[in-house]
Amino acid sequence: MIIERLKDFLTPNSTVEKEGILVAKEVADKTVWDKLADENPTHAVISANDEEAAAKKSVNQITDIKQHIKPGDVLLDCGAGYGRVAKYLLPEVELGGYLAVDSAYQMLALFKQWYQKSDTEQQTPLLLINADIHTLPLKDSSVDVVIVCAVFLHNHKSVVEKAMLEIKRVVKPGGKVLIYSSFPRAMTFMGLQGMAYQVLLNLMGRPFKNGPVRYYRRSEIMHLFDNFTEVELCPIGYNFLPKTLIFLPKPLEVVWRRGLANPINSLLEKITPARLKPYFAVHYDVVATK
Ligand SMILES: C[S@@+](CC[C@H](N)C(=O)[O-])C[C@H]1O[C@@H](n2cnc3c(N)ncnc32)[C@H](O)[C@@H]1O
């Protein structure tokens, strides 16, 4: 039972009440992922409606990861979700260890479920760690490869900065850091829209909300990889018109996306010369060596 007058001890607007318990807003934002894990995990992690679609969407990424790892490596998956990457990677490569970190307990519970069902995947030992990516409970220089997929973009940039320091700390010298779908480009209409939304979050006193997409300039990304020996930024995708207009009500937003943005973007992609396409990329993937 919450005694109302004790609420005077709290910083204004710092908590939300959930079944009689006060949850700090920053924690509450992250538990959104637990709810999504219960509802539709494939949609939450890769916008796919079922496992088959998730497998299809994962093919290029798994092929890329395989180029940067070797059997026996210890791999850290930051924000691993329900283990989508492991699910498609481990049947193909036997690793020395798979360390999966995620702040959503429910996601890791799903990860554990399918891992326990598959003998092939179990040839790689797995450690499931319910933690934040900016406070990794791991030893210095302990892992060979780090992957981060579709996680940074949902975090405030200050969290990403701390997470990158942690990643730098735990990866061995010469180890690889692979970042996928995590740095959407700021210099796009989507980026401008996202920056306006961050201003709104700041005004609402919720700048750190976990979920809304944060957008990056090339120089900001390079700064995050200071002191790495090699850093390669790969422009991915094509977008001119924003595929969503976040301030539109849902039905109008669908009309915009399906009726205008998607067909116009496809047409423009076909007629844009290859050398100009990087200027319209949706995001940068990164391959870095410590
Ligand atoms: C879009 S899903 C991507 C999951 C997985 N990387 C994949 O690509 O299949 C984002 C995941 O990151 C986790 N996450 C977000 N912010 C995090 C943080 N600061 N620390 C740890 N996990 C985080 C969420 O709980 C969620 O499981």
Side-chain angles (χ1 to χ4, degrees):
M1 155 87 73
I2 289 175
I3 310 292
E4 285 303 311
R5 68 194 149 79
L6 287 183
K7 285 189 176 173
D8 290 345
F9 285 91
L10 298 167
T11 321
N13 290 323
S14 59
T15 56
V16 286
E17 194 172 333
K18 200 176 160 197
E19 293 161 9
I21 297 172
L22 296 178
V23 185
K25 280 227 175 112
E26 212 188 317
V27 173
D29 288 339
K30 283 187 202 141
T31 58
V32 159
W33 293 103
D34 285 308
K35 192 166 159 269
L36 295 172
D38 284 338
E39 288 169 3
N40 186 344
T42 52
H43 195 264
V45 306
I46 195 170
S47 302
N49 281 329
D50 53 41
E51 209 34 73
E52 201 185 323
K56 234 182 193 173
K57 280 187 145 187
S58 303
V59 171
N60 289 346
Q61 191 183 41
I62 300 299
T63 308
D64 194 73
I65 294 173
K66 280 196 307 192
Q67 285 177 15
H68 300 288
I69 58 174
K70 48 186 190 319
D73 276 353
V74 172
L75 182 150
L76 164 65
D77 186 349
C78 282
Y82 69 87
R84 179 187 60 86
V85 171
K87 197 167 188 164
Y88 306 121
L89 184 66
L90 297 186
E92 300 194 32
V93 193
E94 198 180 315
L95 296 174
Y98 199 100
L99 314 181
V101 171
D102 203 291
S103 53
Y105 184 88
Q106 270 316 105
M107 286 283 185
L108 296 178
L110 291 175
F111 198 146
K112 186 173 148 199
Q113 254 173 39
W114 70 253
Y115 177 81
Q116 284 178 336
K117 280 189 207 144
S118 163
D119 291 343
T120 330
E121 276 96 327
Q122 282 178 42
Q123 280 163 11
T124 293
L126 170 72
L127 202 59
L128 298 169
I129 308 166
N130 191 198
D132 272 319
I133 52 169
H134 62 286
T135 50
L136 294 172
L138 295 171
K139 291 185 179 160
D140 294 0
S141 302
S142 50
V143 305
D144 299 289
V145 183
V146 180
I147 61 165
V148 184
C149 180
V151 182
F152 281 173
L153 76 170
H154 297 299
N155 282 272
H156 191 267
K157 288 184 180 179
S158 63
V159 174
V160 173
E161 221 164 292
K162 284 186 203 148
M164 275 307 301
L165 291 175
E166 280 291 84
I167 288 171
K168 229 177 277 177
R169 179 180 69 74
V170 303
V171 75
K172 290 176 184 169
K176 293 272 181 207
V177 176
L178 314 172
I179 318 272
Y180 298 100
S181 307
S182 285
F183 293 124
R185 288 180 60 236
M187 295 299 146
T188 58
F189 286 124
M190 282 298 280
L192 295 174
Q193 185 177 222
M195 285 187 275
Y197 191 64
Q198 180 68 51
V199 170
L200 189 68
L201 285 175
N202 297 350
L203 292 173
M204 286 159 49
R206 307 198 62 195
F208 296 100
K209 189 171 161 64
N210 188 298
V213 175
R214 272 74 178 195
Y215 293 82
Y216 285 80
R217 293 190 309 277
R218 202 185 161 87
S219 57
E220 285 178 294
I221 306 172
M222 291 308 286
H223 175 62
L224 289 170
F225 288 87
D226 277 350
N227 303 323
F228 275 73
T229 54
E230 274 173 46
V231 185
E232 188 191 347
L233 264 56
C234 321
I236 306 289
Y238 182 97
N239 215 342
F240 177 68
L241 289 179
K243 70 174 191 270
T244 51
L245 289 175
I246 52 180
F247 299 104
L248 276 187
K250 191 80 188 159
L252 283 181
E253 200 265 326
V254 173
V255 173
W256 163 264
R257 179 159 31 96
R258 296 203 186 141
L260 282 166
N262 286 353
I264 292 177
N265 281 334
S266 308
L267 176 70
L268 290 175
E269 185 175 6
K270 279 189 197 120
I271 60 177
T272 305
R275 72 195 151 80
L276 296 181
K277 280 194 177 153
Y279 296 103
F280 298 95
V282 178
H283 67 268
Y284 289 112
D285 283 348
V286 182
V287 179
T289 310
K290 180 169 156 185

